Amino acid sequence: MTSEPTLSPLERLIWASLGAVSIAFHLGLVFSGLVPNLVSRPLHMALALPFVLVLMAKTPFERRTGAAIAALGMAACLWVAWNADALGDQYGYLSGPVQMGLALLLLAVVLEMARRAIGWPLPLVASLALAYAVWGAAIPGEFGHPGLPMASLFGTLTIAEGGLWGKLTGVSVGVVAIFVIFGAVLNAGEAGQGFMNVAAAAAGRLRGGAAKVSVISSALFGSISGSASANVASTGAITLPAMTRLGYPRALAGAVESVASSGGQIMPPLMGAGAFVMVELTGTPYAEIMLAALLPAMLYFLAVWVGIDAFSWRHTLRGLAAEDRPGARAVLITSAFFLVPFSVLLWGMFGLGVTPQYAASLAILAGAALLFFDARLTLRLETACITAGRQIATIAAIILCASIVIGVLGLTGLGVKITSLILSGSGGYLWPALLLTAVACLVLGMEVPTTAAYVICVSVAGPALIALGLDPLQAHLFVFWYALLSTITPPVCGAVFIAAGMVGENWLKVALSAMALGLGLYLVPLGMVANPALIALSADPGAALLAAAKVGASLAAISFGVIAPLHWALRVLLVVAGGVLLFV
């Protein structure tokens, strides 16, 4: 995701105003009641287009062409919203060449919007899906399809709720956007500094303290950012210089930050929008998903923590000096900027019993109120509005493009065919099916964002895993975790590349250290399958905590066996014992 170019005061005001409109629109949907899907979802896209195609443009040419494309796309979206009632009576069947032209325009704009926001891989997958929908009838054998009338195919994708305006976009509009605004408001204040201060006060004096500060701060920051890249860029700007200044090997410093930052996408409450998509796809309440994801996420960070201790046997990893650790007053003041909104969020969900988006809206109001205690109020509000508008737009681009793929899978029956292929390829056994799914997640995650990789993989592999005996939530969490593998696994390891660039180290050295530190990312999903109680915190807390203790001991043994400079026989014993403990 690119950041906006340097803006003049007038440009900042314009973009902040548009961001404020986007914030007001999405909060208004929460407070005002039901709005027809064919109104709210096209308007969501219309508000996102200028941010992606104009604000995030890298060159003047991109900005000019982006403005033209955005104008056309906004006009098409407004047409759909204005004619929502009449289009609902067409049941996804286009009427006449004008509607066909508008449908093709909308699809082309979404593909270009996604390309500019996140690069070419996901739009290419969506384009191949569309090509299959149009010409797949010519493919012989079981992977062909009977053929679809073009008016029905493109109509379902663009004027009904089977494509662009489907349930995934509904999640983006109604839930993800609200939590993105929540994160933007927190980050506009002192929440980020609060995270760093709490982490430094809690872990700064320990062995490997600078690295452990990175782990805690990234876990806290990632819980609202949900983006590994954003996490590395923000917390890494502070933690990486601190580690290198204390003499930490540069490869290890980069690995600590990239691994810790990658955990943000599995850390409740935001989970990189994955939690909210999971709610829609599984029908499981958000609070239950958050509780199910909590212990696995904590085990991931525990494995990183233990790995740092193991590395401290190889290198001298000093803690932060006393003068570099914040005082109690600074910790209390800055931590209020995230503790108050988080408390309101939890009180709303578990005290008032309201929906997550409503609770988050109350937390946004609390966070915005705290900004008024800052002398730089105008700058803070502008930053919150621009950041929220841009991040909502980026996620909208991903979700809209992924919705094309999901729509085609449903219309053509391709998803069912791939599910059958996984079942037959695994011989009807669960663990081979899990291996095939993990490879598919890794490959797809290399090229498309985590949420999109999760959605596409779970659409085809999820039914197979469920048919082989996994609980639906188990299957979804397994796929979601493995869609994250590419953040630290070569050859495409985005978080590693960013961290390596920031510390000036060879990316492959950083990646190898990151894979050792990030063993939890590979092993915790297997632990969730072998120990189903691990994700049953809401139903059976005692069994869940016992399972977490067992998996935690396993991860600790394996981490020490892989990293610590012990006798080779002891290392093998630790790894084998940890593996047995994980699966027995």
Side-chain angles (χ1 to χ4, degrees):
M1 179 174 67
T2 60
S3 60
E4 74 273 10
T6 303
L7 301 173
S8 68
L10 178 60
E11 289 173 326
R12 278 188 66 85
L13 179 60
I14 291 171
W15 286 110
S17 299
L18 186 56
V21 171
S22 181
I23 291 172
F25 168 73
H26 290 96
L27 288 177
L29 292 177
V30 175
F31 289 118
S32 65
L34 295 175
V35 175
N37 293 337
L38 281 182
V39 174
S40 62
R41 297 173 188 181
L43 291 179
H44 174 67
M45 175 176 162
L47 287 168
L49 283 168
F51 283 96
V52 173
L53 296 175
V54 182
L55 178 63
M56 293 168 59
K58 299 173 184 175
T59 64
F61 175 76
E62 277 196 3
R63 200 163 296 119
R64 289 193 297 271
T65 56
I69 296 169
L72 290 172
M74 291 172 74
C77 291
L78 292 173
W79 180 85
V80 173
W82 183 261
N83 295 282
D85 289 339
L87 294 176
D89 293 332
Q90 292 182 209
Y91 302 103
Y93 200 92
L94 296 172
S95 176
V98 172
Q99 288 193 6
M100 177 63 77
L102 284 168
L104 295 175
L105 172 66
L106 277 169
L107 292 170
V109 168
V110 167
L111 293 174
E112 178 62 9
M113 181 188 185
R115 186 191 70 80
R116 294 198 183 195
I118 56 171
W120 59 265
L122 181 58
L124 179 60
V125 172
S127 299
L128 291 173
L130 287 171
Y132 175 78
V134 174
W135 293 295
I139 298 176
E142 65 174 302
F143 278 91
H145 63 77
L148 297 164
M150 294 300 101
S152 176
L153 167 63
F154 292 113
T156 302
L157 292 175
T158 57
I159 65 167
E161 296 177 30
L164 296 182
W165 323 126
K167 58 185 179 181
L168 286 184
T169 305
V171 174
S172 179
V173 175
V175 186
V176 175
I178 303 301
F179 277 84
V180 167
I181 297 167
F182 175 59
V185 169
L186 289 191
N187 287 324
E190 293 293 327
Q193 188 60 49
F195 292 146
M196 294 301 304
N197 286 346
V198 167
R205 63 174 58 86
L206 302 176
R207 180 176 61 182
K212 290 171 179 175
V213 167
S214 173
V215 173
I216 296 175
S217 60
S218 294
L220 292 171
F221 183 81
S223 68
I224 60 168
S225 78
S227 166
S229 299
N231 214 344
V232 172
S234 55
T235 60
I238 299 172
T239 60
L240 289 171
M243 284 187 274
T244 54
R245 189 170 61 248
L246 289 169
Y248 287 43
R250 291 181 180 272
L252 176 59
V256 168
E257 184 56 47
S258 57
V259 170
S261 294
S262 296
Q265 291 187 273
I266 54 175
M267 189 69 182
L270 190 55
M271 295 171 62
F276 312 114
V277 176
M278 217 173 286
V279 168
E280 185 64 39
L281 296 181
T282 64
T284 305
Y286 170 75
E288 190 173 327
I289 287 179
M290 192 167 67
L291 288 172
L294 183 60
L295 288 178
M298 293 175 69
L299 287 171
Y300 172 84
F301 285 104
L302 171 68
V304 179
W305 189 283
V306 171
I308 292 169
D309 277 332
F311 267 115
S312 72
W313 290 32
R314 291 179 177 270
H315 312 285
T316 301
L317 304 182
R318 291 183 289 154
L320 294 176
E323 61 269 20
D324 292 330
R325 298 197 295 269
R329 184 174 183 274
V331 173
L332 287 173
I333 291 174
T334 55
S335 63
F337 280 88
F338 70 85
L339 283 177
V340 171
F342 263 105
S343 298
V344 172
L345 174 68
L346 295 174
W347 169 70
M349 286 195 297
F350 299 107
L352 295 180
V354 297
T355 62
Q357 55 266 43
Y358 195 95
S361 298
L362 298 176
I364 289 166
L365 298 178
L370 290 174
L371 296 181
F372 284 86
F373 290 93
D374 195 305
R376 298 165 292 176
L377 173 63
T378 301
L379 177 62
R380 299 288 196 186
L381 290 176
E382 281 186 351
T383 300
C385 291
I386 294 173
T387 301
R390 189 182 70 243
Q391 291 181 345
I392 289 170
T394 302
I395 293 175
I398 295 168
I399 293 292
L400 286 163
C401 196
S403 293
I404 295 174
V405 179
I406 302 306
V408 169
L409 289 175
L411 285 168
T412 61
L414 180 61
V416 176
K417 294 168 186 174
I418 298 176
T419 298
S420 300
L421 184 65
I422 293 172
L423 286 170
S424 61
S426 65
Y429 294 100
L430 176 60
W431 288 99
L434 290 170
L435 176 62
L436 290 172
T437 303
V439 172
C441 290
L442 174 61
V443 171
L444 192 58
M446 288 179 182
E447 302 297 344
V448 304
T450 302
T451 301
Y454 155 64
V455 167
I456 295 170
C457 278
V458 86
S459 297
V460 295
L465 298 180
I466 293 168
L468 292 171
L470 282 193
D471 177 81
L473 189 54
Q474 261 184 308
H476 280 256
L477 285 171
F478 178 88
V479 172
F480 183 71
W481 273 63
Y482 272 119
L484 268 172
L485 286 183
S486 62
T487 58
I488 62 171
T489 307
V492 180
C493 35
V496 165
F497 279 124
I498 295 172
M502 292 175 74
V503 296
E505 181 57 277
N506 178 277
W507 71 269
L508 189 56
K509 292 181 180 178
V510 176
L512 292 175
S513 296
M515 291 172 70
L517 265 182
L519 282 172
L521 193 57
Y522 304 88
L523 297 178
V524 171
L526 302 177
M528 286 189 278
V529 174
N531 304 271
L534 183 60
I535 63 171
L537 186 60
S538 61
D540 192 344
L545 291 172
L546 283 174
K550 185 165 83 80
V551 175
S554 166
L555 292 173
I558 295 172
S559 288
F560 254 87
V562 170
I563 297 171
L566 304 171
H567 188 278
W568 69 266
L570 181 56
R571 296 177 70 181
V572 170
L573 179 63
L574 283 170
V575 171
V576 171
V580 170
L581 187 60
L582 182 68
F583 291 103
V584 172

